[in-house]
Amino acid sequence: MAHAKCWRKQGIITMAEGKPLSKDCRNRGRISEGKFEFKPELEDIHMNIEARLIEKIGDAGKTAHCARRNDQVALDIGFFTRDAVIHTIGEIVELQERAGGTGFKP
């Protein structure tokens, strides 16, 4: 969604193209819910997402490759790490509570 906003500001895509692109990005829950159909013939998750965007919103979806691949990977790693840390803190708190300690409350 951040890239879509940037592309609109830079004139890479129009506001009309950016709105459905942003909307489809907000529907990203399909992946975590197991509802996203990955195509094994595509290289990776980024190629699958780009193909999905093109399918849903047309040529504006092709702008997904404008974001440098390394930026996309770094962002994904950051999201994964954040979620893993939050999950781990929750597990530690639960363990401390079961052990009778006051525990850390994030």
Side-chain angles (χ1 to χ4, degrees):
M1 287 172 31
H3 283 115
K5 184 177 181 180
C6 176
W7 298 330
R8 284 193 311 265
K9 281 186 169 183
Q10 297 300 315
I12 296 170
I13 59 175
T14 66
M15 182 65 80
E17 292 169 324
K19 284 184 180 182
L21 180 58
S22 293
K23 181 181 178 189
D24 201 67
C25 287
R26 280 191 290 277
N27 292 328
R28 65 189 175 272
R30 287 188 302 272
I31 293 174
S32 61
E33 295 167 1
K35 296 178 181 176
F36 188 91
E37 183 180 337
F38 286 94
K39 297 176 181 174
E41 66 272 14
L42 297 176
E43 183 181 325
D44 58 18
I45 190 169
H46 304 288
M47 294 295 291
N48 272 274
I49 291 171
E50 183 176 335
R52 164 78 177 167
L53 288 171
I54 293 168
E55 174 187 311
K56 291 292 284 182
I57 65 171
D59 284 345
K62 293 178 182 177
T63 59
H65 76 275
C66 291
R68 291 190 351 234
R69 182 63 49 95
N70 291 341
D71 290 344
Q72 291 174 324
V73 170
L75 183 66
D76 289 345
I77 289 171
F79 284 145
F80 172 82
T81 302
R82 180 202 60 199
D83 291 348
V85 167
I86 290 169
H87 174 77
T88 301
I89 289 171
E91 294 289 315
I92 290 170
V93 168
E94 184 180 322
L95 179 63
Q96 288 175 328
E97 287 172 352
R98 280 191 277 151
T102 58
F104 169 74
K105 303 290 183 195

